[in-house]
Amino acid sequence: MSDLLERLRGRGWRLTAQRRVVAEVLDGDHVHYTADEVHAKASERLPEISRATVYNTLGELVSLGEVIEVSTDGRAKRYDPNAHHDHQHLVCSRCGTIRDVHLHGDPLSSLPEPERYGFQVSEVTVTYRGICPNCSATS
Amino acid sequence: MSDLLERLRGRGWRLTAQRRVVAEVLDGDHVHYTADEVHAKASERLPEISRATVYNTLGELVSLGEVIEVSTDGRAKRYDPNAHHDHQHLVCSRCGTIRDVHLHGDPLSSLPEPERYGFQVSEVTVTYRGICPNCSATS
DNA sequence: ATCTTGACTTAGACATTGTCCAATGTAGGA
DNA sequence: TCCTACATTGGACAATGTCTAAGTCAAGAT
């Protein structure tokens, strides 16, 4: 993600302090933040950045395919900067931690033709749930 | 789902008009309603039912394993009464229609041991996305 | 059949997450 | 340096969900 800003500039993105900070937050720790968490982290470096800008910027990064939107719990969406490697997610049912995981085979092929009901199926997301080692230790 | 009410009563559920109506709404058309849609349908039969009760009742049905909570879009959760047959979902990216689908094989087995990071993995949800025949006709 | 009681329901306030808009600011080309 | 189209801001608004205190009622006990 280090050359992300250059890539985006090449696509006509205007490079502002706010966008730079949002991109840096995502690029930093490799976790899955919510929009408001990104806003909080960004505010540490650029105190007056607004929530609207963070939401706008995240939306643009998603549209541009640089970031993936993940909604595992029906609560706040989370943003995953690991958009260039195909992967799925493993979520702890207790603490909500999310890990990126890599699957055996292509899950698209698990959906038989007669089960496609004429849809042009183009995408599949797989979410595994369970208890993480940390949580099962402290149960 | 016809004997649902009996089953629930056997588990100590107090059988009220409100709960009966919510169960009937879910049992009726076999679609995936949001909580507020269930509330609207229920209000047709029992005008003074409150939103809180619908939310409570849906939550209880989910806890009891009689209904599945589906969040495909990060917006409102939807409620799927088809809890007793293992299935996954196929969603139209344009209009949001949801179909139940049945997979080939067990998706749990697609996650290799080293990709489980010590989690006790117990559940997997697979969501396919694409364009439904209706939407691709009217594009 | 009536009583009693704890579970259920209600209305509405509140919380969280996300969107929109008009006014203001500014990046980057001319 | 100046322009201007694009970006940012703050705050109102919207959608969804949660909580609480007070009133109501289902169903077992009498």
Side-chain angles (χ1 to χ4, degrees):
Chain A
M1 185 136 158
S2 43
D3 50 347
L4 169 62
L5 294 174
E6 272 315 312
R7 244 184 299 144
L8 294 174
R9 186 141 59 162
R11 299 207 225 169
W13 235 42
R14 186 174 289 187
L15 195 39
T16 66
Q18 290 83 350
R19 288 175 169 178
R20 197 179 341 250
V21 167
V22 169
E24 284 170 5
V25 168
L26 289 176
D27 196 21
D29 309 325
H30 198 205
V31 299
H32 303 76
Y33 291 129
T34 64
D36 279 344
E37 284 167 354
V38 172
H39 178 232
K41 296 266 174 193
S43 297
E44 291 170 7
R45 308 194 205 180
L46 192 65
E48 290 318 309
I49 190 171
S50 79
R51 249 169 35 97
T53 296
V54 172
Y55 275 91
N56 287 343
T57 304
L58 289 172
E60 288 155 9
L61 289 171
V62 170
S63 296
L64 291 169
E66 297 289 346
V67 162
I68 290 174
E69 211 171 57
V70 182
S71 42
T72 50
D73 60 351
R75 305 293 305 250
K77 289 173 193 159
R78 294 179 172 275
Y79 293 88
D80 182 345
N82 189 14
H84 297 303
H85 293 80
D86 197 35
H87 67 280
Q88 304 297 339
H89 294 107
L90 171 56
V91 181
C92 176
S93 320
R94 197 161 303 164
C95 67
T97 295
I98 302 177
R99 298 218 51 149
D100 289 0
V101 293
H102 300 270
L103 267 52
H104 224 69
D106 180 6
L108 266 178
S109 65
S110 301
L111 187 64
E113 187 55 35
E115 288 288 299
R116 298 190 181 208
Y117 300 101
F119 279 55
Q120 294 163 26
V121 180
S122 56
E123 197 185 330
V124 55
T125 63
V126 184
T127 305
Y128 294 91
R129 270 169 240 278
I131 307 294
C132 74
N134 210 341
C135 283
S136 55
T138 63
S139 64
Chain B
M1 181 135 157
S2 42
D3 51 346
L4 169 61
L5 294 174
E6 272 316 312
R7 242 183 303 144
L8 293 175
R9 186 143 57 165
R11 298 207 223 170
W13 236 41
R14 185 173 292 186
L15 194 39
T16 66
Q18 291 83 352
R19 288 175 168 177
R20 198 181 339 252
V21 168
V22 169
E24 283 169 8
V25 167
L26 288 177
D27 196 20
D29 309 326
H30 197 203
V31 299
H32 303 76
Y33 291 130
T34 64
D36 279 343
E37 284 166 357
V38 172
H39 179 233
K41 297 266 174 195
S43 297
E44 292 170 8
R45 308 194 205 178
L46 191 65
E48 292 316 311
I49 190 172
S50 80
R51 249 169 33 96
T53 296
V54 172
Y55 275 92
N56 287 343
T57 304
L58 289 172
E60 287 155 9
L61 289 171
V62 170
S63 296
L64 293 169
E66 297 289 346
V67 162
I68 290 173
E69 209 170 58
V70 182
S71 43
T72 52
D73 60 350
R75 305 292 306 251
K77 289 172 192 160
R78 293 179 172 276
Y79 292 88
D80 182 345
N82 187 14
H84 297 302
H85 294 79
D86 198 34
H87 66 280
Q88 303 298 337
H89 294 107
L90 170 57
V91 181
C92 176
S93 320
R94 199 163 301 166
C95 67
T97 294
I98 302 178
R99 298 217 53 147
D100 288 0
V101 294
H102 300 270
L103 266 52
H104 223 70
D106 179 6
L108 267 179
S109 66
S110 301
L111 186 63
E113 186 55 35
E115 289 288 298
R116 299 189 180 207
Y117 298 102
F119 279 56
Q120 295 164 26
V121 180
S122 56
E123 198 186 327
V124 54
T125 65
V126 184
T127 305
Y128 294 90
R129 272 168 238 278
I131 307 295
C132 73
N134 210 342
C135 283
S136 55
T138 63
S139 63

